C-alpha cells in the first residue's frame, strides 16, 4: 500500500487523474489493445485468463481477466470523440493484473518476480498525434521520479524494434539491479502506441476547425485518431523484490538482520508502526535512509 500510495502521489502531482480499474474486461477490448497470443505453440497459448461461458451469446460477450490496467483504461475512451481542449487526457489506474505467463517456459517460477496476480499502478494518456512523443517523455520523467525516490540503481533502455509488442511504436524499459538475481530485472515499461489502439477502439478527437461542432453531428471520418500511451508506475511485487534485495542489512555472519527502506515511503507507512525505526523483538528491523 505504501508503494502504490507513493507512486499515486507523484502521478497526481503531474496532473494524472486517479481511476480504479475493473478485473474483468471484454476479450475484444483486450485484443484491440494488442494483447494477442504470442506463443508459437499449436494451438497458440494465451497470456490471459478467459472466463468460462457462452462466447457465442451476443448478450454475454467473451470476457477475460485483465492482464494490465492499460486495457480497461483504453476501453474507457472507446467510441469517443474528445474535445481538443481536454487533450492530453492523463489518467493513472490502480488495479490487479492477471498473467497466465504462457511461454515463460519455467523461467522465474519461484519468488515474486513472475507471478500470476499482482497489484499494479498504470499511467495512461490520450493525446494528439503531434504531441504523443512529447507526452511519452513526460511520462518517462514521472517514472524516473518515482524510481529515483526509491533509491535503488536503475537504468532506462530505448528498446529495439524486435522487443516491441504488437501495439507499440516505441518503448522504454526500466530495469533495476537485483542482487539476488545477479542481474538487471525489468520493473517498468513505457509504450507509445500511436494510433494502433485508437483505430481499433475508435478514439478520435476534434480538429481545430470543427471544435465547435457537436460530437453527434461531426463526421467521424473527418476526425483524426488520437494517440495512446501507457507506462507502469508501480508493479508492486517487483519493487518489493528490488527494495528487499538492495536494502538488506547483514551481520558479520552473513545473516539478514534488517532492511534499509527509502525515506520517501515513510509518509505512506502504516501509522501503527513507529515511522522512524521499526523494531521486532527488541531489534531494529527497518531503518529509513
Amino acid at each position: 500500500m505504501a508503494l502504490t500510495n507513493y507512486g499515486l502521489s507523484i502521478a497526481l502531482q503531474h496532473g494524472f487523474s486517479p481511476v480504479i480499474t475493473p478485473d474483468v474486461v471484454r476479450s475484444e477490448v483486450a485484443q484491440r489493445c494488442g494483447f494477442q497470443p504470442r506463443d508459437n505453440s499449436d494451438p497458440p497459448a494465451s497470456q490471459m485468463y478467459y472466463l468460462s461461458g457462452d462466447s457465442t451469446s451476443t448478450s454475454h460477450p467473451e470476457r477475460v481477466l485483465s492482464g494490465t490496467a492499460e486495457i480497461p483504461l483504453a476501453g474507457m475512451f472507446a467510441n469517443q470523440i474528445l474535445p481538443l481542449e481536454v487533450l492530453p487526457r492523463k489518467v493513472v489506474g490502480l488495479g490487479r493484473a492477471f498473467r497466465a505467463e504462457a511461454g515463460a517456459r519455467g523461467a522465474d517460477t519461484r519468488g515474486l518476480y513472475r507471478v500470476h496476480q499482482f497489484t499494479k499502478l498504470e499511467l495512461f494518456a490520450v493525446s494528439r498525434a503531434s504531441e504523443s512523443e512529447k507526452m511519452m517523455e513526460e511520462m518517462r520523467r514521472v517514472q524516473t521520479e518515482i524510481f529515483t525516490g526509491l533509491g535503488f540503481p536503475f537504468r532506462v533502455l530505448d528498446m529495439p524494434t524486435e522487443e516491441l509488442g504488437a501495439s507499440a511504436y516505441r518503448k522504454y524499459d526500466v530495469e533495476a539491479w537485483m542482487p539476488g538475481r545477479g542481474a538487471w530485472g525489468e520493473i517498468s515499461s513505457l509504450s507509445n502506441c500511436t494510433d494502433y489502439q485508437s483505430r481499433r477502439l475508435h478514439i478520435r478527437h476534434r480538429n481545430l476547425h470543427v471544435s465547435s461542432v457537436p460530437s453527434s453531428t461531426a463526421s467521424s471520418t473527418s476526425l483524426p485518431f488520437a494517440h495512446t500511451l501507457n507506462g507502469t508506475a508501480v508493479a508492486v511485487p517487483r519493487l518489493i523484490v528490488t527494495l528487499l534485495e538492495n536494502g538488506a542489512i547483514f551481520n558479520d555472519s552473513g545473516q539478514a538482520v534488517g532492511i534499509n527502506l527509502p525515506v520517501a515511503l515513510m509518509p505512506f507507512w502504516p501509522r501503527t508502526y513507529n515511522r522512524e525505526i521499526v523494531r521486532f523483538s527488541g531489534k531494529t528491523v527497518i531503518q529509513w535512509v
Side-chain angles (χ1 to χ4, degrees):
M1 184 176 291
L3 284 169
T4 55
N5 287 339
Y6 162 70
L8 183 60
S9 69
I10 293 179
L12 294 178
Q13 292 173 15
H14 288 269
F16 286 80
S17 301
V19 176
I20 296 178
T21 60
D23 294 337
V24 179
V25 296
R26 293 186 177 186
S27 62
E28 62 174 321
V29 175
Q31 292 171 0
R32 292 181 183 188
C33 287
F35 289 84
Q36 301 170 355
R38 304 288 292 188
D39 199 282
N40 293 324
S41 60
D42 187 19
S46 173
Q47 299 290 341
M48 309 187 76
Y49 289 110
Y50 285 77
L51 302 183
S52 60
D54 184 6
S55 60
T56 62
S57 172
T58 57
S59 59
H60 297 88
E62 189 175 45
R63 290 174 170 82
V64 297
L65 295 180
S66 178
T68 170
E70 169 196 346
I71 299 172
L73 290 176
M76 284 175 51
F77 298 98
N79 302 312
Q80 288 193 30
I81 299 175
L82 301 173
L84 195 62
E85 58 269 20
V86 306
L87 297 179
R89 284 289 304 274
K90 302 185 293 185
V91 294
V92 53
L94 176 62
R96 286 175 291 188
F98 300 87
R99 305 285 177 85
E101 296 296 357
R105 296 178 177 84
D108 305 306
T109 55
R110 296 184 178 182
L112 293 174
Y113 188 81
R114 193 182 298 276
V115 292
H116 292 294
Q117 175 184 333
F118 59 95
T119 300
K120 185 182 181 188
L121 193 67
E122 183 84 3
L123 303 173
F124 189 87
V126 180
S127 76
R128 299 169 61 184
S130 59
E131 296 177 344
S132 66
E133 291 188 6
K134 177 182 177 182
M135 188 70 243
M136 187 176 192
E137 294 306 310
E138 178 182 338
M139 294 171 70
R140 181 181 61 82
R141 288 192 293 270
V142 175
Q143 292 175 313
T144 300
E145 182 177 343
I146 291 172
F147 302 135
T148 299
L150 295 177
F152 50 70
F154 72 91
R155 63 185 184 183
V156 180
L157 307 177
D158 195 348
M159 302 305 290
T161 54
E162 62 265 24
E163 295 293 332
L164 303 184
S167 62
Y169 164 77
R170 187 181 183 186
K171 185 177 80 159
Y172 290 126
D173 273 1
V174 182
E175 296 181 341
W177 178 252
M178 299 181 178
R181 295 168 55 86
W184 297 90
E186 181 186 339
I187 59 171
S188 178
S189 65
L190 170 62
S191 297
N192 184 350
C193 299
T194 62
D195 60 357
Y196 181 98
Q197 295 175 340
S198 61
R199 285 182 179 273
R200 290 159 176 80
L201 293 171
H202 308 292
I203 307 172
R204 300 174 184 266
H205 65 80
R206 298 182 189 176
N207 281 314
L208 286 172
H209 64 278
V210 296
S211 59
S212 60
V213 179
S215 58
S216 58
T217 59
S219 173
S220 61
T221 58
S222 66
L223 299 177
F225 290 101
H227 280 194
T228 60
L229 305 94
N230 64 85
T232 303
V234 173
V236 172
R238 294 198 179 181
L239 287 188
I240 290 176
V241 170
T242 306
L243 291 171
L244 287 176
E245 294 187 358
N246 284 281
I249 303 172
F250 299 92
N251 60 18
D252 294 338
S253 61
Q255 294 180 328
V257 295
I259 183 172
N260 291 323
L261 287 180
V263 70
L265 292 180
M266 185 185 294
F268 308 99
W269 202 256
R271 294 182 179 272
T272 54
Y273 294 101
N274 184 321
R275 286 181 174 175
E276 295 182 0
I277 297 178
V278 178
R279 299 179 181 273
F280 180 75
S281 298
K283 298 181 180 179
T284 301
V285 177
I286 297 178
Q287 297 183 8
W288 302 103
V289 295

